Amino acid sequence: VILTVTLNAALDITYGLERVAWNSVNRVDAVDVRAGGKGVNVARVLHALDVDAVVTGLAGGATGAELRAELARAGLRDELVTIAGETRRTVVIAARNGSETTLFNEPGPQVSMEEWRAFEERFRNLVAGAEAVVLSGSLPPGVPLGAYASLGAAAGSPVVLDADGEALRLGLDARPAVVKPNADELGRATGLAVSNLEEIAAAADSVLEAGAQAAVVSLGAEGLLACTRDGHWRARPAQRVEGNATGAGDAATAALVLGLVRGQTWPERLLHAAALSAAAVASPVAGEFDRELYERLLEDVVVEAL
Amino acid sequence: VILTVTLNAALDITYGLERVAWNSVNRVDAVDVRAGGKGVNVARVLHALDVDAVVTGLAGGATGAELRAELARAGLRDELVTIAGETRRTVVIAARNGSETTLFNEPGPQVSMEEWRAFEERFRNLVAGAEAVVLSGSLPPGVPLGAYASLGAAAGSPVVLDADGEALRLGLDARPAVVKPNADELGRATGLAVSNLEEIAAAADSVLEAGAQAAVVSLGAEGLLACTRDGHWRARPAQRVEGNATGAGDAATAALVLGLVRGQTWPERLLHAAALSAAAVASPVAGEFDRELYERLLEDVVVEAL
């Protein structure tokens, strides 16, 4: 079983409409409401691949209850810890007359020290039975900035870390098996320039020096770059996929943690991560992917050693 | 007690942020969540004026539960009938670097014939003890278009009707004591031109011929126009109030129903309706008003017979 941690889970609301009239009144014609947050999306992708995944993290209030009801409907195992605060919402405005989307993210709920300790205890119990752990996403207010370092240290099993800023930088102390930043996140965590592939590789190497065992950098439509102690590889889809990039990184994370527990080689892991990530772009909602496209892209992605 | 009916109640979510980055990711820094829908807003204003108000209508699902929890916190009496469908949300994006706001309205829930009959029965029980009834807002799918006509006919007490399109036009059959359209709604219900005050007055008179006992037309910042069987009056605030126009019409409706049960003269009713409406514009959220400004405007609003 793979344990996914989502400390700042969200109720993701997606509004579909033909076009948006800014500064006016819009009638939404399609509403999708689902449990979200990066770790939840990773678990959803793993579940779709018939891999046992457990969702833990923090959830509370009416929105937290709605999130948990949707997790149950989706058949995901819910080990979230209840908090007093209200789980945040995200609202995605998706106009069909263009590929652009506008996101509104609520701030996360305040977490008390007692709630954080209760989570740490739940995590220690769950991690004992896990083959690998995914630590994903932002930290809500009240959770220590070093949360991913302390959870990583408490995990006996290998950790995949997908975070930003200080949460990522401090998380390196726990020597995660894989970190999966995008180029901007890598730049923020290291303070280094990331304007071309060479700079990105150098910044990724500095993350390895700081403790990570491997860094896989997502490059958007340009694919993925893996910097590991065994070598550097790049994966690139042969075709560009149009769609909704939200959740593409989470699909890549799902493939990377799965490759880790299955003992795949780095080129195999990258192949699956790039194909699954592009297949997620083709799906309108985070946590889902186009299965047929995924199979097809497995033949098409080019992986090369650098 | 005044009974307010909100058949298409909504969970109103307001997002405050400095500026909006369209087609990008926005962090919201202020979140307000409250029970909404026109009738709920009317009840909230009445409650703030220390008048007993009862909220009835339809609510369901997780959003319905959240709406009812907020009604309870606000101290409003909840006589909503539970339906299987999910109460809709509205999301208001309010940027502080401009006075404009963007609204996203979800479609209303599907209502079954059994649910509608259950509501009619609840309404008949509640209306027996009411001094007046407010029928406000849109009809969710499944509710008959003639709903306001049949509810109005079943009500022994006088009715104030605030609706649009067919719901308003058909509702006139019940001979409401007051209808309160804005100029656009009046135009849609009558099919007449409403581009100047004379045309608006002529359209309002046609509404009286169709059954209404009085029509009060809201003219935005230009105040209110009352066409009654006793004469025509116009109320105009001496000063222009800047702010959020959402809920201003509901504040006017609250003043009009209160004037009705208190037996005020038409000039008195218009004075209060115009002052309360302008004081609601000064408040950032629907159902609230600036009390001090309300008192001040009662001295300032000019009411003239036409």
Side-chain angles (χ1 to χ4, degrees):
Chain A
V1 67
I2 293 170
L3 179 63
T4 70
V5 174
T6 315
L7 295 173
N8 208 359
L11 188 70
D12 284 344
I13 303 172
T14 303
Y15 286 158
L17 69 175
E18 195 50 39
R19 72 196 67 243
V20 178
W22 301 120
N23 298 325
S24 185
V25 179
N26 295 273
R27 281 180 200 279
V28 169
D29 53 43
V31 180
D32 179 88
V33 180
R34 59 179 60 203
K38 281 164 173 277
V40 172
N41 294 341
V42 171
R44 207 184 286 274
V45 171
L46 290 172
H47 184 71
L49 293 168
D50 288 323
V51 176
D52 271 351
V54 173
V55 173
T56 189
L58 306 167
T63 43
E66 221 175 322
L67 182 154
R68 301 178 83 150
E70 200 278 326
L71 276 185
R73 285 196 298 276
L76 291 167
R77 196 174 132 203
D78 170 1
E79 290 283 354
L80 292 162
V81 170
T82 302
I83 56 172
E86 278 272 331
T87 291
R88 67 198 175 109
R89 294 178 194 78
T90 72
V91 175
V92 178
I93 312 294
R96 286 187 294 273
N97 73 334
S99 62
E100 300 281 14
T101 52
T102 304
L103 275 79
F104 296 94
N105 293 336
E106 295 186 8
Q110 187 68 41
V111 179
S112 72
M113 199 38 70
E114 293 69 44
E115 289 168 338
W116 174 243
R117 295 230 175 82
F119 173 77
E120 286 185 308
E121 193 180 327
R122 177 79 66 97
F123 177 79
R124 279 192 298 268
N125 293 334
L126 291 168
V127 83
E131 295 164 89
V133 178
V134 176
L135 304 175
S136 260
S138 59
L139 306 176
V143 168
L145 272 177
Y148 287 145
S150 62
L151 295 179
S157 20
V159 166
V160 176
L161 173 62
D162 179 8
D164 196 359
E166 279 294 279
L168 168 55
R169 202 179 63 76
L170 296 174
L172 299 176
D173 283 349
R175 311 187 68 78
V178 184
V179 295
K180 197 220 65 55
N182 61 34
D184 287 343
E185 289 164 346
L186 182 65
R188 278 193 288 271
T190 60
L192 298 172
V194 288
S195 55
N196 59 47
L197 203 63
E198 273 173 33
E199 287 180 353
I200 291 171
D205 283 337
S206 84
V207 161
L208 266 59
E209 282 161 32
Q213 294 168 55
V216 177
V217 186
S218 47
L219 307 168
E222 299 297 307
L224 297 164
L225 174 72
C227 300
T228 80
R229 299 189 193 275
D230 302 323
H232 288 41
W233 288 270
R234 178 160 180 202
R236 223 189 310 208
Q239 58 179 103
R240 195 187 165 86
V241 175
E242 296 288 336
N244 174 12
T246 317
D250 301 327
T253 302
L256 291 171
V257 71
L258 196 53
L260 178 72
V261 302
R262 288 185 173 165
Q264 290 172 350
T265 65
W266 273 108
E268 284 174 320
R269 296 187 201 183
L270 278 194
L271 169 64
H272 283 273
L276 199 54
S277 179
V281 169
S283 171
V285 284
E288 292 189 359
F289 59 91
D290 181 326
R291 213 171 276 263
E292 202 184 313
L293 182 62
Y294 172 46
E295 302 289 342
R296 191 143 38 91
L297 287 171
L298 285 176
E299 309 295 317
D300 266 6
V301 172
V302 179
V303 182
E304 51 181 354
L306 298 182
Chain B
V1 68
I2 294 171
L3 179 63
T4 69
V5 174
T6 315
L7 295 173
N8 209 1
L11 188 69
D12 285 344
I13 303 172
T14 303
Y15 286 159
L17 69 176
E18 195 50 38
R19 71 195 69 243
V20 179
W22 301 119
N23 299 323
S24 185
V25 179
N26 296 272
R27 281 180 201 280
V28 169
D29 54 43
V31 180
D32 180 87
V33 179
R34 60 178 60 204
K38 281 165 174 278
V40 172
N41 294 341
V42 172
R44 206 184 288 273
V45 171
L46 290 171
H47 183 72
L49 292 168
D50 287 322
V51 177
D52 271 351
V54 173
V55 173
T56 189
L58 306 167
T63 42
E66 219 175 325
L67 182 155
R68 300 176 83 150
E70 199 278 325
L71 277 185
R73 284 196 298 276
L76 290 166
R77 196 174 132 203
D78 170 4
E79 290 284 353
L80 292 162
V81 170
T82 302
I83 57 174
E86 278 272 332
T87 290
R88 69 197 172 108
R89 296 178 192 80
T90 72
V91 175
V92 178
I93 312 293
R96 285 186 295 273
N97 73 334
S99 62
E100 301 281 12
T101 52
T102 304
L103 274 79
F104 295 95
N105 292 336
E106 294 186 10
Q110 187 68 41
V111 179
S112 73
M113 198 39 69
E114 293 69 46
E115 289 168 339
W116 174 243
R117 294 229 177 82
F119 173 76
E120 286 185 309
E121 194 181 327
R122 177 80 66 97
F123 178 80
R124 279 192 298 270
N125 292 335
L126 290 168
V127 82
E131 295 165 271
V133 179
V134 176
L135 304 175
S136 259
S138 59
L139 305 175
V143 168
L145 272 177
Y148 288 144
S150 62
L151 294 179
S157 20
V159 166
V160 176
L161 173 62
D162 179 9
D164 196 358
E166 280 295 277
L168 169 55
R169 202 179 60 78
L170 295 173
L172 299 175
D173 282 352
R175 311 187 68 75
V178 184
V179 295
K180 197 222 61 60
N182 61 33
D184 288 342
E185 289 164 346
L186 182 66
R188 279 193 288 272
T190 60
L192 298 172
V194 289
S195 54
N196 58 47
L197 203 63
E198 274 173 33
E199 288 180 353
I200 291 171
D205 283 337
S206 84
V207 161
L208 266 59
E209 282 160 31
Q213 292 167 57
V216 178
V217 185
S218 48
L219 307 169
E222 299 297 307
L224 297 164
L225 173 72
C227 299
T228 80
R229 300 187 192 277
D230 303 323
H232 288 40
W233 288 270
R234 178 162 180 201
R236 224 189 309 209
Q239 59 180 101
R240 196 188 163 86
V241 175
E242 296 288 336
N244 174 14
T246 318
D250 301 327
T253 302
L256 291 171
V257 71
L258 196 54
L260 179 71
V261 303
R262 289 185 173 167
Q264 290 171 349
T265 64
W266 273 108
E268 283 173 322
R269 296 189 201 182
L270 279 193
L271 169 64
H272 283 273
L276 200 53
S277 180
V281 169
S283 170
V285 284
E288 294 189 358
F289 59 91
D290 181 326
R291 212 170 277 263
E292 202 184 313
L293 182 61
Y294 172 47
E295 302 288 343
R296 191 141 39 93
L297 288 171
L298 284 176
E299 309 294 318
D300 264 5
V301 172
V302 179
V303 181
E304 51 181 354
L306 298 183

